[in-house]
PDB file of all heavy atoms in Angstrom:
ATOM      1  N   TYR A 288     -14.123  -2.905  44.005  1.00  0.00           N
ATOM      2  CA  TYR A 288     -13.023  -2.287  44.733  1.00  0.00           C
ATOM      3  C   TYR A 288     -11.795  -3.190  44.726  1.00  0.00           C
ATOM      4  O   TYR A 288     -11.919  -4.422  44.745  1.00  0.00           O
ATOM      5  CB  TYR A 288     -13.399  -2.053  46.200  1.00  0.00           C
ATOM      6  CG  TYR A 288     -14.729  -1.387  46.433  1.00  0.00           C
ATOM      7  CD1 TYR A 288     -15.786  -2.071  47.045  1.00  0.00           C
ATOM      8  CD2 TYR A 288     -14.938  -0.058  46.066  1.00  0.00           C
ATOM      9  CE1 TYR A 288     -16.997  -1.465  47.294  1.00  0.00           C
ATOM     10  CE2 TYR A 288     -16.149   0.563  46.311  1.00  0.00           C
ATOM     11  CZ  TYR A 288     -17.180  -0.142  46.926  1.00  0.00           C
ATOM     12  OH  TYR A 288     -18.380   0.468  47.164  1.00  0.00           O
ATOM     13  N   SER A 289     -10.621  -2.571  44.748  1.00  0.00           N
ATOM     14  CA  SER A 289      -9.385  -3.334  44.913  1.00  0.00           C
ATOM     15  C   SER A 289      -8.362  -2.496  45.672  1.00  0.00           C
ATOM     16  O   SER A 289      -8.115  -1.335  45.325  1.00  0.00           O
ATOM     17  CB  SER A 289      -8.801  -3.738  43.555  1.00  0.00           C
ATOM     18  OG  SER A 289      -7.583  -4.451  43.736  1.00  0.00           O
ATOM     19  N   ILE A 290      -7.806  -3.078  46.711  1.00  0.00           N
ATOM     20  CA  ILE A 290      -6.717  -2.433  47.446  1.00  0.00           C
ATOM     21  C   ILE A 290      -5.472  -2.427  46.567  1.00  0.00           C
ATOM     22  O   ILE A 290      -5.191  -3.400  45.862  1.00  0.00           O
ATOM     23  CB  ILE A 290      -6.427  -3.182  48.767  1.00  0.00           C
ATOM     24  CG1 ILE A 290      -7.655  -3.123  49.674  1.00  0.00           C
ATOM     25  CG2 ILE A 290      -5.212  -2.593  49.465  1.00  0.00           C
ATOM     26  CD1 ILE A 290      -8.025  -1.732  50.143  1.00  0.00           C
ATOM     27  N   VAL A 291      -4.723  -1.337  46.596  1.00  0.00           N
ATOM     28  CA  VAL A 291      -3.480  -1.238  45.836  1.00  0.00           C
ATOM     29  C   VAL A 291      -2.339  -1.828  46.648  1.00  0.00           C
ATOM     30  O   VAL A 291      -2.114  -1.450  47.799  1.00  0.00           O
ATOM     31  CB  VAL A 291      -3.164   0.232  45.493  1.00  0.00           C
ATOM     32  CG1 VAL A 291      -1.776   0.351  44.867  1.00  0.00           C
ATOM     33  CG2 VAL A 291      -4.219   0.780  44.549  1.00  0.00           C
ATOM     34  N   VAL A 292      -1.644  -2.782  46.067  1.00  0.00           N
ATOM     35  CA  VAL A 292      -0.451  -3.360  46.689  1.00  0.00           C
ATOM     36  C   VAL A 292       0.754  -2.558  46.222  1.00  0.00           C
ATOM     37  O   VAL A 292       1.053  -2.511  45.023  1.00  0.00           O
ATOM     38  CB  VAL A 292      -0.287  -4.843  46.317  1.00  0.00           C
ATOM     39  CG1 VAL A 292       0.986  -5.406  46.939  1.00  0.00           C
ATOM     40  CG2 VAL A 292      -1.511  -5.637  46.766  1.00  0.00           C
ATOM     41  N   ASN A 293       1.414  -1.919  47.151  1.00  0.00           N
ATOM     42  CA  ASN A 293       2.544  -1.046  46.834  1.00  0.00           C
ATOM     43  C   ASN A 293       3.853  -1.796  47.054  1.00  0.00           C
ATOM     44  O   ASN A 293       4.235  -2.083  48.188  1.00  0.00           O
ATOM     45  CB  ASN A 293       2.499   0.206  47.709  1.00  0.00           C
ATOM     46  CG  ASN A 293       3.464   1.272  47.225  1.00  0.00           C
ATOM     47  OD1 ASN A 293       4.453   0.982  46.566  1.00  0.00           O
ATOM     48  ND2 ASN A 293       3.174   2.517  47.552  1.00  0.00           N
ATOM     49  N   ASN A 294       4.521  -2.136  45.954  1.00  0.00           N
ATOM     50  CA  ASN A 294       5.809  -2.831  46.028  1.00  0.00           C
ATOM     51  C   ASN A 294       6.983  -1.862  45.886  1.00  0.00           C
ATOM     52  O   ASN A 294       8.102  -2.290  45.629  1.00  0.00           O
ATOM     53  CB  ASN A 294       5.889  -3.893  44.924  1.00  0.00           C
ATOM     54  CG  ASN A 294       4.819  -4.957  45.082  1.00  0.00           C
ATOM     55  OD1 ASN A 294       4.571  -5.440  46.186  1.00  0.00           O
ATOM     56  ND2 ASN A 294       4.163  -5.309  43.991  1.00  0.00           N
ATOM     57  N   PHE A 295       6.680  -0.574  46.038  1.00  0.00           N
ATOM     58  CA  PHE A 295       7.669   0.514  45.961  1.00  0.00           C
ATOM     59  C   PHE A 295       8.135   0.765  44.517  1.00  0.00           C
ATOM     60  O   PHE A 295       8.194   1.896  44.068  1.00  0.00           O
ATOM     61  CB  PHE A 295       8.859   0.236  46.883  1.00  0.00           C
ATOM     62  CG  PHE A 295       8.474   0.154  48.331  1.00  0.00           C
ATOM     63  CD1 PHE A 295       8.360  -1.063  48.982  1.00  0.00           C
ATOM     64  CD2 PHE A 295       8.203   1.308  49.037  1.00  0.00           C
ATOM     65  CE1 PHE A 295       7.986  -1.129  50.316  1.00  0.00           C
ATOM     66  CE2 PHE A 295       7.823   1.259  50.377  1.00  0.00           C
ATOM     67  CZ  PHE A 295       7.715   0.029  51.014  1.00  0.00           C
ATOM     68  N   THR A 296       8.465  -0.287  43.803  1.00  0.00           N
ATOM     69  CA  THR A 296       8.878  -0.091  42.410  1.00  0.00           C
ATOM     70  C   THR A 296       7.690  -0.144  41.455  1.00  0.00           C
ATOM     71  O   THR A 296       7.772   0.338  40.323  1.00  0.00           O
ATOM     72  CB  THR A 296       9.894  -1.156  41.985  1.00  0.00           C
ATOM     73  OG1 THR A 296       9.320  -2.456  42.175  1.00  0.00           O
ATOM     74  CG2 THR A 296      11.171  -1.023  42.808  1.00  0.00           C
ATOM     75  N   ASP A 297       6.585  -0.756  41.913  1.00  0.00           N
ATOM     76  CA  ASP A 297       5.372  -0.799  41.100  1.00  0.00           C
ATOM     77  C   ASP A 297       4.156  -0.995  41.993  1.00  0.00           C
ATOM     78  O   ASP A 297       4.278  -1.299  43.184  1.00  0.00           O
ATOM     79  CB  ASP A 297       5.452  -1.895  40.036  1.00  0.00           C
ATOM     80  CG  ASP A 297       5.469  -3.284  40.651  1.00  0.00           C
ATOM     81  OD1 ASP A 297       5.879  -3.403  41.825  1.00  0.00           O
ATOM     82  OD2 ASP A 297       5.063  -4.244  39.977  1.00  0.00           O
ATOM     83  N   LEU A 298       2.966  -0.812  41.395  1.00  0.00           N
ATOM     84  CA  LEU A 298       1.704  -0.969  42.102  1.00  0.00           C
ATOM     85  C   LEU A 298       0.862  -2.013  41.393  1.00  0.00           C
ATOM     86  O   LEU A 298       0.902  -2.123  40.166  1.00  0.00           O
ATOM     87  CB  LEU A 298       0.933   0.365  42.140  1.00  0.00           C
ATOM     88  CG  LEU A 298       1.685   1.597  42.628  1.00  0.00           C
ATOM     89  CD1 LEU A 298       0.836   2.849  42.397  1.00  0.00           C
ATOM     90  CD2 LEU A 298       2.040   1.472  44.093  1.00  0.00           C
ATOM     91  N   LYS A 299       0.074  -2.769  42.170  1.00  0.00           N
ATOM     92  CA  LYS A 299      -0.782  -3.781  41.576  1.00  0.00           C
ATOM     93  C   LYS A 299      -2.135  -3.800  42.289  1.00  0.00           C
ATOM     94  O   LYS A 299      -2.225  -3.555  43.482  1.00  0.00           O
ATOM     95  CB  LYS A 299      -0.135  -5.166  41.680  1.00  0.00           C
ATOM     96  CG  LYS A 299       1.116  -5.335  40.843  1.00  0.00           C
ATOM     97  CD  LYS A 299       1.669  -6.747  40.960  1.00  0.00           C
ATOM     98  CE  LYS A 299       2.924  -6.921  40.103  1.00  0.00           C
ATOM     99  NZ  LYS A 299       3.477  -8.295  40.204  1.00  0.00           N
ATOM    100  N   CYS A 300      -3.170  -4.129  41.514  1.00  0.00           N
ATOM    101  CA  CYS A 300      -4.481  -4.397  42.112  1.00  0.00           C
ATOM    102  C   CYS A 300      -5.120  -5.537  41.331  1.00  0.00           C
ATOM    103  O   CYS A 300      -5.340  -5.423  40.123  1.00  0.00           O
ATOM    104  CB  CYS A 300      -5.359  -3.158  42.122  1.00  0.00           C
ATOM    105  SG  CYS A 300      -5.609  -2.351  40.548  1.00  0.00           S
ATOM    106  N   THR A 301      -5.370  -6.629  42.000  1.00  0.00           N
ATOM    107  CA  THR A 301      -5.869  -7.837  41.333  1.00  0.00           C
ATOM    108  C   THR A 301      -7.073  -8.454  42.035  1.00  0.00           C
ATOM    109  O   THR A 301      -7.861  -9.159  41.405  1.00  0.00           O
ATOM    110  CB  THR A 301      -4.759  -8.901  41.257  1.00  0.00           C
ATOM    111  OG1 THR A 301      -4.272  -9.157  42.580  1.00  0.00           O
ATOM    112  CG2 THR A 301      -3.602  -8.423  40.377  1.00  0.00           C
ATOM    113  N   ASN A 302      -7.213  -8.195  43.329  1.00  0.00           N
ATOM    114  CA  ASN A 302      -8.277  -8.839  44.095  1.00  0.00           C
ATOM    115  C   ASN A 302      -9.501  -7.927  44.165  1.00  0.00           C
ATOM    116  O   ASN A 302      -9.641  -7.094  45.053  1.00  0.00           O
ATOM    117  CB  ASN A 302      -7.786  -9.167  45.504  1.00  0.00           C
ATOM    118  CG  ASN A 302      -8.812  -9.941  46.304  1.00  0.00           C
ATOM    119  OD1 ASN A 302      -9.649 -10.642  45.741  1.00  0.00           O
ATOM    120  ND2 ASN A 302      -8.771  -9.795  47.621  1.00  0.00           N
ATOM    121  N   TRP A 303     -10.411  -8.081  43.205  1.00  0.00           N
ATOM    122  CA  TRP A 303     -11.577  -7.208  43.123  1.00  0.00           C
ATOM    123  C   TRP A 303     -12.703  -7.710  44.012  1.00  0.00           C
ATOM    124  O   TRP A 303     -13.032  -8.894  44.017  1.00  0.00           O
ATOM    125  CB  TRP A 303     -12.057  -7.116  41.688  1.00  0.00           C
ATOM    126  CG  TRP A 303     -11.093  -6.429  40.781  1.00  0.00           C
ATOM    127  CD1 TRP A 303     -10.202  -7.011  39.933  1.00  0.00           C
ATOM    128  CD2 TRP A 303     -10.892  -5.020  40.656  1.00  0.00           C
ATOM    129  NE1 TRP A 303      -9.466  -6.052  39.285  1.00  0.00           N
ATOM    130  CE2 TRP A 303      -9.861  -4.822  39.703  1.00  0.00           C
ATOM    131  CE3 TRP A 303     -11.482  -3.896  41.252  1.00  0.00           C
ATOM    132  CZ2 TRP A 303      -9.418  -3.558  39.328  1.00  0.00           C
ATOM    133  CZ3 TRP A 303     -11.039  -2.638  40.880  1.00  0.00           C
ATOM    134  CH2 TRP A 303     -10.022  -2.474  39.936  1.00  0.00           C
ATOM    135  N   ILE A 304     -13.303  -6.784  44.764  1.00  0.00           N
ATOM    136  CA  ILE A 304     -14.431  -7.106  45.633  1.00  0.00           C
ATOM    137  C   ILE A 304     -15.655  -6.345  45.130  1.00  0.00           C
ATOM    138  O   ILE A 304     -15.631  -5.117  45.033  1.00  0.00           O
ATOM    139  CB  ILE A 304     -14.130  -6.717  47.093  1.00  0.00           C
ATOM    140  CG1 ILE A 304     -12.886  -7.461  47.586  1.00  0.00           C
ATOM    141  CG2 ILE A 304     -15.335  -7.012  47.985  1.00  0.00           C
ATOM    142  CD1 ILE A 304     -12.444  -7.055  48.969  1.00  0.00           C
ATOM    143  N   PRO A 305     -16.733  -7.040  44.789  1.00  0.00           N
ATOM    144  CA  PRO A 305     -17.921  -6.357  44.249  1.00  0.00           C
ATOM    145  C   PRO A 305     -18.745  -5.686  45.341  1.00  0.00           C
ATOM    146  O   PRO A 305     -18.829  -6.179  46.471  1.00  0.00           O
ATOM    147  CB  PRO A 305     -18.699  -7.488  43.577  1.00  0.00           C
ATOM    148  CG  PRO A 305     -18.297  -8.713  44.348  1.00  0.00           C
ATOM    149  CD  PRO A 305     -16.870  -8.509  44.770  1.00  0.00           C
ATOM    150  N   GLU A 306     -19.334  -4.555  44.992  1.00  0.00           N
ATOM    151  CA  GLU A 306     -20.276  -3.854  45.866  1.00  0.00           C
ATOM    152  C   GLU A 306     -21.679  -4.381  45.604  1.00  0.00           C
ATOM    153  O   GLU A 306     -22.080  -4.569  44.456  1.00  0.00           O
ATOM    154  CB  GLU A 306     -20.207  -2.351  45.586  1.00  0.00           C
ATOM    155  CG  GLU A 306     -21.324  -1.524  46.167  1.00  0.00           C
ATOM    156  CD  GLU A 306     -21.325  -1.535  47.688  1.00  0.00           C
ATOM    157  OE1 GLU A 306     -20.276  -1.240  48.292  1.00  0.00           O
ATOM    158  OE2 GLU A 306     -22.394  -1.835  48.264  1.00  0.00           O
ATOM    159  N   GLU A 307     -22.429  -4.642  46.673  1.00  0.00           N
ATOM    160  CA  GLU A 307     -23.766  -5.205  46.517  1.00  0.00           C
ATOM    161  C   GLU A 307     -24.765  -4.200  45.955  1.00  0.00           C
ATOM    162  O   GLU A 307     -25.712  -4.577  45.261  1.00  0.00           O
ATOM    163  CB  GLU A 307     -24.274  -5.712  47.872  1.00  0.00           C
ATOM    164  CG  GLU A 307     -23.477  -6.876  48.439  1.00  0.00           C
ATOM    165  CD  GLU A 307     -24.023  -7.332  49.776  1.00  0.00           C
ATOM    166  OE1 GLU A 307     -24.923  -6.631  50.307  1.00  0.00           O
ATOM    167  OE2 GLU A 307     -23.566  -8.364  50.276  1.00  0.00           O
ATOM    168  N   ASN A 308     -24.574  -2.925  46.257  1.00  0.00           N
ATOM    169  CA  ASN A 308     -25.556  -1.908  45.902  1.00  0.00           C
ATOM    170  C   ASN A 308     -25.138  -1.089  44.695  1.00  0.00           C
ATOM    171  O   ASN A 308     -23.970  -1.057  44.315  1.00  0.00           O
ATOM    172  CB  ASN A 308     -25.780  -0.964  47.090  1.00  0.00           C
ATOM    173  CG  ASN A 308     -26.298  -1.678  48.314  1.00  0.00           C
ATOM    174  OD1 ASN A 308     -27.360  -2.293  48.279  1.00  0.00           O
ATOM    175  ND2 ASN A 308     -25.546  -1.613  49.402  1.00  0.00           N
ATOM    176  N   SER A 309     -26.111  -0.418  44.114  1.00  0.00           N
ATOM    177  CA  SER A 309     -25.868   0.609  43.108  1.00  0.00           C
ATOM    178  C   SER A 309     -26.091   1.964  43.769  1.00  0.00           C
ATOM    179  O   SER A 309     -26.633   2.052  44.868  1.00  0.00           O
ATOM    180  CB  SER A 309     -26.811   0.426  41.915  1.00  0.00           C
ATOM    181  OG  SER A 309     -26.625  -0.851  41.321  1.00  0.00           O
ATOM    182  N   VAL A 310     -25.673   3.022  43.094  1.00  0.00           N
ATOM    183  CA  VAL A 310     -25.760   4.351  43.694  1.00  0.00           C
ATOM    184  C   VAL A 310     -26.348   5.344  42.702  1.00  0.00           C
ATOM    185  O   VAL A 310     -25.916   5.409  41.546  1.00  0.00           O
ATOM    186  CB  VAL A 310     -24.367   4.853  44.151  1.00  0.00           C
ATOM    187  CG1 VAL A 310     -24.499   6.223  44.816  1.00  0.00           C
ATOM    188  CG2 VAL A 310     -23.723   3.872  45.101  1.00  0.00           C
ATOM    189  N   ILE A 311     -27.321   6.115  43.155  1.00  0.00           N
ATOM    190  CA  ILE A 311     -27.857   7.234  42.405  1.00  0.00           C
ATOM    191  C   ILE A 311     -27.319   8.515  43.029  1.00  0.00           C
ATOM    192  O   ILE A 311     -27.306   8.650  44.257  1.00  0.00           O
ATOM    193  CB  ILE A 311     -29.396   7.248  42.452  1.00  0.00           C
ATOM    194  CG1 ILE A 311     -29.970   6.017  41.748  1.00  0.00           C
ATOM    195  CG2 ILE A 311     -29.950   8.523  41.820  1.00  0.00           C
ATOM    196  CD1 ILE A 311     -31.455   5.848  41.957  1.00  0.00           C
ATOM    197  N   GLU A 312     -26.853   9.432  42.199  1.00  0.00           N
ATOM    198  CA  GLU A 312     -26.430  10.737  42.716  1.00  0.00           C
ATOM    199  C   GLU A 312     -27.149  11.834  41.940  1.00  0.00           C
ATOM    200  O   GLU A 312     -27.182  11.833  40.710  1.00  0.00           O
ATOM    201  CB  GLU A 312     -24.923  10.925  42.600  1.00  0.00           C
ATOM    202  CG  GLU A 312     -24.449  12.224  43.237  1.00  0.00           C
ATOM    203  CD  GLU A 312     -22.934  12.310  43.404  1.00  0.00           C
ATOM    204  OE1 GLU A 312     -22.237  11.431  42.843  1.00  0.00           O
ATOM    205  OE2 GLU A 312     -22.468  13.236  44.083  1.00  0.00           O
ATOM    206  N   LEU A 313     -27.732  12.762  42.694  1.00  0.00           N
ATOM    207  CA  LEU A 313     -28.409  13.914  42.124  1.00  0.00           C
ATOM    208  C   LEU A 313     -27.573  15.165  42.364  1.00  0.00           C
ATOM    209  O   LEU A 313     -27.114  15.401  43.481  1.00  0.00           O
ATOM    210  CB  LEU A 313     -29.795  14.088  42.759  1.00  0.00           C
ATOM    211  CG  LEU A 313     -30.822  13.019  42.383  1.00  0.00           C
ATOM    212  CD1 LEU A 313     -32.018  13.070  43.324  1.00  0.00           C
ATOM    213  CD2 LEU A 313     -31.285  13.206  40.946  1.00  0.00           C
ATOM    214  N   LYS A 314     -27.379  15.952  41.320  1.00  0.00           N
ATOM    215  CA  LYS A 314     -26.585  17.174  41.410  1.00  0.00           C
ATOM    216  C   LYS A 314     -27.424  18.321  40.871  1.00  0.00           C
ATOM    217  O   LYS A 314     -27.920  18.264  39.742  1.00  0.00           O
ATOM    218  CB  LYS A 314     -25.293  17.022  40.609  1.00  0.00           C
ATOM    219  CG  LYS A 314     -24.453  15.825  41.057  1.00  0.00           C
ATOM    220  CD  LYS A 314     -23.244  15.605  40.172  1.00  0.00           C
ATOM    221  CE  LYS A 314     -22.477  14.366  40.612  1.00  0.00           C
ATOM    222  NZ  LYS A 314     -21.296  14.095  39.767  1.00  0.00           N
ATOM    223  N   TYR A 315     -27.553  19.376  41.668  1.00  0.00           N
ATOM    224  CA  TYR A 315     -28.478  20.440  41.283  1.00  0.00           C
ATOM    225  C   TYR A 315     -28.168  21.738  42.022  1.00  0.00           C
ATOM    226  O   TYR A 315     -27.534  21.733  43.081  1.00  0.00           O
ATOM    227  CB  TYR A 315     -29.917  20.013  41.607  1.00  0.00           C
ATOM    228  CG  TYR A 315     -30.149  19.710  43.077  1.00  0.00           C
ATOM    229  CD1 TYR A 315     -30.721  20.656  43.919  1.00  0.00           C
ATOM    230  CD2 TYR A 315     -29.767  18.485  43.612  1.00  0.00           C
ATOM    231  CE1 TYR A 315     -30.924  20.384  45.262  1.00  0.00           C
ATOM    232  CE2 TYR A 315     -29.969  18.207  44.951  1.00  0.00           C
ATOM    233  CZ  TYR A 315     -30.548  19.153  45.773  1.00  0.00           C
ATOM    234  OH  TYR A 315     -30.732  18.879  47.100  1.00  0.00           O
ATOM    235  N   ASP A 316     -28.622  22.850  41.466  1.00  0.00           N
ATOM    236  CA  ASP A 316     -28.600  24.129  42.156  1.00  0.00           C
ATOM    237  C   ASP A 316     -29.807  24.188  43.086  1.00  0.00           C
ATOM    238  O   ASP A 316     -30.829  23.541  42.840  1.00  0.00           O
ATOM    239  CB  ASP A 316     -28.667  25.289  41.156  1.00  0.00           C
ATOM    240  CG  ASP A 316     -27.437  25.331  40.263  1.00  0.00           C
ATOM    241  OD1 ASP A 316     -26.345  24.948  40.741  1.00  0.00           O
ATOM    242  OD2 ASP A 316     -27.563  25.712  39.092  1.00  0.00           O
ATOM    243  N   TYR A 317     -29.693  24.983  44.141  1.00  0.00           N
ATOM    244  CA  TYR A 317     -30.777  25.024  45.116  1.00  0.00           C
ATOM    245  C   TYR A 317     -31.886  25.949  44.624  1.00  0.00           C
ATOM    246  O   TYR A 317     -31.871  27.150  44.848  1.00  0.00           O
ATOM    247  CB  TYR A 317     -30.274  25.500  46.480  1.00  0.00           C
ATOM    248  CG  TYR A 317     -31.281  25.267  47.581  1.00  0.00           C
ATOM    249  CD1 TYR A 317     -31.408  24.006  48.143  1.00  0.00           C
ATOM    250  CD2 TYR A 317     -32.102  26.295  48.025  1.00  0.00           C
ATOM    251  CE1 TYR A 317     -32.343  23.778  49.148  1.00  0.00           C
ATOM    252  CE2 TYR A 317     -33.031  26.071  49.027  1.00  0.00           C
ATOM    253  CZ  TYR A 317     -33.150  24.811  49.584  1.00  0.00           C
ATOM    254  OH  TYR A 317     -34.080  24.588  50.563  1.00  0.00           O
ATOM    255  N   LEU A 318     -32.837  25.369  43.899  1.00  0.00           N
ATOM    256  CA  LEU A 318     -33.992  26.097  43.406  1.00  0.00           C
ATOM    257  C   LEU A 318     -35.248  25.334  43.804  1.00  0.00           C
ATOM    258  O   LEU A 318     -35.236  24.097  43.898  1.00  0.00           O
ATOM    259  CB  LEU A 318     -33.938  26.237  41.882  1.00  0.00           C
ATOM    260  CG  LEU A 318     -32.716  26.976  41.309  1.00  0.00           C
ATOM    261  CD1 LEU A 318     -32.723  26.863  39.786  1.00  0.00           C
ATOM    262  CD2 LEU A 318     -32.732  28.444  41.734  1.00  0.00           C
ATOM    263  N   SER A 319     -36.339  26.040  44.033  1.00  0.00           N
ATOM    264  CA  SER A 319     -37.563  25.400  44.511  1.00  0.00           C
ATOM    265  C   SER A 319     -38.078  24.366  43.514  1.00  0.00           C
ATOM    266  O   SER A 319     -38.537  23.285  43.900  1.00  0.00           O
ATOM    267  CB  SER A 319     -38.644  26.455  44.767  1.00  0.00           C
ATOM    268  OG  SER A 319     -38.909  27.195  43.593  1.00  0.00           O
ATOM    269  N   GLU A 320     -37.978  24.684  42.207  1.00  0.00           N
ATOM    270  CA  GLU A 320     -38.459  23.720  41.209  1.00  0.00           C
ATOM    271  C   GLU A 320     -37.607  22.457  41.183  1.00  0.00           C
ATOM    272  O   GLU A 320     -38.096  21.365  40.926  1.00  0.00           O
ATOM    273  CB  GLU A 320     -38.510  24.360  39.812  1.00  0.00           C
ATOM    274  CG  GLU A 320     -37.216  24.995  39.361  1.00  0.00           C
ATOM    275  CD  GLU A 320     -37.156  26.477  39.671  1.00  0.00           C
ATOM    276  OE1 GLU A 320     -37.733  26.876  40.703  1.00  0.00           O
ATOM    277  OE2 GLU A 320     -36.562  27.237  38.894  1.00  0.00           O
ATOM    278  N   ASN A 321     -36.301  22.611  41.471  1.00  0.00           N
ATOM    279  CA  ASN A 321     -35.430  21.436  41.556  1.00  0.00           C
ATOM    280  C   ASN A 321     -35.810  20.577  42.752  1.00  0.00           C
ATOM    281  O   ASN A 321     -35.800  19.344  42.677  1.00  0.00           O
ATOM    282  CB  ASN A 321     -33.974  21.861  41.668  1.00  0.00           C
ATOM    283  CG  ASN A 321     -33.445  22.445  40.371  1.00  0.00           C
ATOM    284  OD1 ASN A 321     -34.054  22.287  39.323  1.00  0.00           O
ATOM    285  ND2 ASN A 321     -32.328  23.133  40.443  1.00  0.00           N
TER     286      ASN A 321
END
């Protein structure tokens, strides 16, 4: 992650912060077999 620094004439992001976790996402239609 990085917060965007807004200088009005331009934007910058340089200070990256790592996330400790990974993420799984499941996407599906609502069916009994799913």
Side-chain angles (χ1 to χ4, degrees):
Y288 311 113
S289 179
I290 297 295
V291 172
V292 178
N293 192 335
N294 298 316
F295 298 103
T296 57
D297 67 336
L298 309 171
K299 293 182 179 180
C300 55
T301 56
N302 185 26
W303 294 99
I304 301 175
E306 167 65 53
E307 295 180 352
N308 300 300
S309 301
V310 182
I311 295 170
E312 185 168 10
L313 290 165
K314 303 174 183 179
Y315 59 99
D316 295 328
Y317 193 80
L318 300 172
S319 58
E320 54 266 33
N321 289 345

